[in-house]
Amino acid sequence: MTAHIPPDRSAPNQEAVDLVVALQRCLINFHARKEEPAILDGEGAEQIAAINRYAEARRVRAMLFGQNLFSDPAWDILLALYQAELEGKALTLEQLSETLRLSLSIVVGQVGVMERRGLLLEHRTSPNSRRRSALRLSPLAVDAMASWSSIAFSGDD
């Protein structure tokens, strides 16, 4: 796991990183045994604001330097779904494609990979169209994103 550390903030110490990695391993084992909900701490509004600023900074970066220079569609999809999760929403493939300015075929391919890894849950809203499927992060993915955001945005005001 890598986290962006702003230059004005020191990197987390190795003990903190080791603790997060150990926590992730525990969560993987926990979720593998049961269908348990994700563990989100009570910082909803602060977390949403930090994630929104981060996602907006990525969009601005793409506008300034070009969309393909920093291409990381899987991460952008995870971020968008995490934002939606924090807001209690689900997104369709079409919404992800439009929001992230990615082709639908790229979104479908990335979503397939993430589904196979157990990171996404799909809820079809129309039995005849995968495009109408509502996507949410799995509890495991929510926990991993929460762990990442706690490292990336610790001390963020």
Side-chain angles (χ1 to χ4, degrees), residues 76-124:
D76 291 330
I77 291 168
L78 283 172
L79 282 172
L81 290 172
Y82 188 56
Q83 283 178 288
E85 190 71 37
L86 291 173
E87 296 168 0
K89 300 177 187 173
L91 297 174
T92 65
L93 292 170
E94 288 174 332
Q95 289 171 323
L96 282 169
S97 176
E98 290 171 15
T99 301
L100 300 173
R101 297 184 183 132
L102 295 170
S103 73
L104 191 56
S105 63
I106 288 175
V107 172
V108 168
Q110 294 295 320
V111 163
V113 170
M114 288 187 268
E115 283 177 329
R116 287 188 294 279
R117 292 186 181 190
L119 298 174
L120 300 181
L121 303 174
E122 183 177 19
H123 303 285
R124 294 206 177 188

Side-chain angles (χ1 to χ4, degrees), residues 27-46:
L27 291 171
I28 288 168
N29 291 333
F30 181 73
H31 290 302
R33 280 183 264 149
K34 307 178 187 181
E35 187 62 33
E36 292 290 334
I39 302 165
L40 285 174
D41 55 17
E43 304 173 8
E46 293 170 18

Side-chain angles (χ1 to χ4, degrees), residues 55-70:
E56 182 59 25
R58 286 179 63 86
R59 282 189 282 277
V60 169
R61 180 186 71 179
M63 287 188 318
L64 294 172
F65 294 102
Q67 185 72 23
N68 296 330
L69 184 61
F70 299 106

Side-chain angles (χ1 to χ4, degrees), residues 134-157:
L135 297 170
R136 295 190 84 136
L137 293 177
S138 69
L140 173 64
V142 172
D143 290 338
M145 291 299 289
S147 295
W148 167 80
S149 68
S150 71
I151 288 175
F153 304 117
S154 63
D156 212 19
D157 292 335

Side-chain angles (χ1 to χ4, degrees), residues 122-139:
E122 183 177 19
H123 303 285
R124 294 206 177 188
T125 56
S126 169
N128 299 328
S129 174
R130 185 156 187 233
R131 291 182 187 179
R132 299 282 179 227
S133 298
L135 297 170
R136 295 190 84 136
L137 293 177
S138 69

